Amino acid sequence: ECWAKPSATGLAANSRLISINSDTTTGYLIISLRTTGELRCYVNDSNRVNTAAGVITVSNWFHIVMTAGTGVVPLIYVNGALVPSAGAGALAYPQSNSQIAVGATIYNPPGPSIAQPFNGDIDTARVYERILSPAEVLMNYNAGRAAHP
């Protein structure tokens, strides 16, 4: 979960909002933003969930939430509302020995390789050990709206 405001200079290809990488090459979860304004959520590369293009635009704050867990179909919420998405079914979630990055990806942890930075502002990034309910997603969005006009 995070608040994100892409820069007016444009969207970068596959810029990372939140990245969780385990110490293996196959254990990761990524929430990224594409140049088309599409959100893409990856779990272990072959499992992706995508929104339509234009869901996110530049120079505006958006509250973005992905709910996912082992054996659960991931859902994407924008500004408190479930957004239609297409892609993977139930996923396997990264292990607990993972590294979390906000605004970029750390490759080959624990190495220093950082890539695919987000061009803009990110605020109030959170990762939970459980799946948020739709009511909790909406509550978090409403609680942060005043600070993110």
Side-chain angles (χ1 to χ4, degrees):
E1 167 183 34
C2 69
W3 284 89
K5 181 181 180 183
S7 171
T9 59
L11 302 173
N14 290 320
S15 57
R16 305 305 197 216
L17 298 172
I18 297 177
S19 176
I20 303 172
N21 290 340
S22 73
D23 58 0
T24 69
T25 58
T26 59
Y28 62 86
L29 181 148
I30 296 171
I31 302 173
S32 70
L33 181 60
R34 300 174 54 85
T35 56
T36 60
E38 165 193 355
L39 286 170
R40 178 174 280 181
C41 301
Y42 299 83
V43 178
N44 300 331
D45 196 44
S46 62
N47 297 309
R48 298 179 183 148
V49 178
N50 307 309
T51 67
V55 170
I56 304 297
T57 56
V58 298
S59 301
N60 296 302
W61 281 105
F62 292 91
H63 181 246
I64 300 165
V65 178
M66 175 185 160
T67 61
T70 300
V72 176
V73 175
L75 301 174
I76 301 171
Y77 296 82
V78 175
N79 294 342
L82 182 63
V83 176
S85 57
L91 306 174
Y93 195 69
Q95 299 174 357
S96 62
N97 59 344
S98 301
Q99 295 185 14
I100 299 172
V102 176
T105 292
I106 300 173
Y107 284 106
N108 301 317
S113 180
I114 298 173
Q116 296 166 307
F118 175 72
N119 186 13
D121 297 319
I122 296 176
D123 190 25
T124 319
R126 298 179 184 137
V127 176
Y128 298 89
E129 292 185 39
R130 61 182 180 78
I131 297 172
L132 295 178
S133 71
E136 290 173 311
V137 171
L138 182 59
M139 182 180 69
N140 290 353
Y141 166 66
N142 287 329
R145 283 177 60 191
H148 304 93

